[in-house]
Amino acid sequence: MNPLSPSSNPAPGATLEALETLIPGMPRMQPGEVWIVGAGPGDPGLLTLHALSALLQADVLVHDALIDARTLALAPPQAVRIFAGKRGGRPSTHQDEITATLVDQARRGFRVVRLKGGDPFIFGRGGEEVAALVEAGIRNRVIPGLTSGLAGLSAVGIPATCRGVNQALFLATGHGAGRRPTPEGIDWSLVARLGQPVVLYMALKNLPFILEGLGQGGMAPETPAAVVAWATTAQERVVVATLETLLDTLRREGLDAPAIIVLGEIVNCRNTLQRVVTQAMGEVSSP
């Protein structure tokens, strides 16, 4: 599909001009460039200004499955939208095919935006795509995005770090955590011994094996746990449980991917924050 010529890209509109007023020297996408852009956890309001700028300049938009339709609509109507279909546990476009598409569209002279959920370099295979572009001699730029493992927690009142509660945070993907882990897989019993909260991406499928390993490492059954599904979107749901009850709670509630799982005392901070906010609002409204 090649409905546009590189020279037919629409002139930047008033929105792009406004961004340039706000950010003097804002980079302009050149024909034949690929920008790898993080779209954040879901809510279009959490896009960065540079991500918005990239969308406004795109000739071709290669996007993952979970990108909000309102975010896709920010690209010019004439821009070609190519669905990359990256979705855990479901049929997806092979990574080699995606990178080949990026190289091909750039060589045709188009301004290409590769739009990825969250941050491109946090379990998003953005590094592989950049490496392929560099190998092919394609100019590229990376636009960071808010990762759901942090922004998704903040959005529902779970602080990723809280003074007096934790001094570190362990981010991990659930891929490769099955009954037969790969040699480079994570030793979850060692993770448990860190004594710090654990945030899991893409872990619903392999969660039983992960929880088993954490328990073997000494993580207590009563450890607070929470799942944030479809973070920052209209479909957002939050379930709170413990390490021991988490699997039964998930089965009962019927939560599905995408979901962020958090294990640790920071989950209890949510209740504390909610009580403080509720109390403060009551004091403000009192005569």
Side-chain angles (χ1 to χ4, degrees):
M1 182 179 294
N2 189 18
L4 292 175
S5 64
S7 61
S8 67
N9 186 53
T15 304
L16 186 56
E17 293 173 356
L19 287 177
E20 289 179 324
T21 301
L22 181 65
I23 311 173
M26 183 179 66
R28 283 293 189 93
M29 185 180 294
Q30 301 302 313
E33 284 188 346
V34 177
W35 287 14
I36 312 292
V37 178
D43 182 352
L46 297 177
L47 289 168
T48 67
L49 295 179
H50 281 300
L52 175 58
S53 167
L55 288 167
L56 293 171
Q57 298 179 69
D59 293 325
V60 176
L61 186 60
V62 182
H63 65 91
D64 286 347
L66 297 175
I67 305 299
D68 193 288
R70 294 169 296 173
T71 298
L72 298 178
L74 293 170
Q78 302 92 333
V80 177
R81 287 143 173 89
I82 300 176
F83 177 68
K86 302 297 286 184
R87 184 83 184 270
R90 300 187 183 182
S92 298
T93 307
H94 195 277
Q95 187 62 48
D96 290 344
E97 183 178 343
I98 294 173
T99 52
T101 297
L102 298 177
V103 170
D104 175 67
Q105 295 296 315
R107 284 177 172 165
R108 292 171 182 258
F110 294 119
R111 301 168 178 87
V112 182
V113 168
R114 172 68 173 109
L115 193 62
K116 305 172 74 68
D119 179 271
F121 285 175
I122 304 294
F123 307 122
R125 306 188 76 167
E128 296 175 46
E129 294 176 354
V130 170
L133 293 170
V134 170
E135 184 177 358
I138 303 297
R139 298 188 305 274
N140 64 87
R141 179 185 295 269
V142 177
I143 306 297
L146 294 174
T147 181
S148 56
L150 300 179
L153 298 188
S154 295
V156 299
I158 299 176
T161 63
C162 192
R163 190 171 64 169
V165 177
N166 65 310
Q167 296 177 298
L169 190 71
F170 188 84
L171 304 180
T173 174
H175 285 324
R179 195 175 297 277
R180 295 181 180 177
T182 58
E184 67 273 16
I186 295 171
D187 186 334
W188 296 102
S189 64
L190 292 180
V191 173
R193 294 178 190 131
L194 295 174
Q196 300 295 330
V198 176
V199 175
L200 302 170
Y201 295 68
M202 300 170 285
L204 286 179
K205 179 180 178 182
N206 292 322
L207 188 58
F209 311 114
I210 296 172
L211 297 183
E212 180 182 0
L214 292 172
Q216 290 172 349
M219 185 174 284
E222 62 272 17
T223 299
V227 180
V228 184
W230 294 91
T232 76
T233 72
Q235 295 80 35
E236 179 182 272
R237 292 183 63 193
V238 183
V239 167
V240 177
T242 65
L243 183 78
E244 184 176 40
T245 64
L246 183 56
L247 292 178
D248 288 338
T249 301
L250 286 174
R251 281 191 287 264
R252 184 176 66 250
E253 297 294 333
L255 264 65
D256 62 355
I260 291 294
I261 300 167
V262 55
L263 305 163
E265 291 297 327
I266 57 174
V267 174
N268 283 340
C269 295
R270 182 176 188 242
N271 292 331
T272 302
L273 293 175
Q274 287 177 333
R275 285 196 299 271
V276 170
V277 170
T278 300
Q279 180 180 355
M281 292 299 294
E283 292 174 353
V284 169
S285 61
S286 299

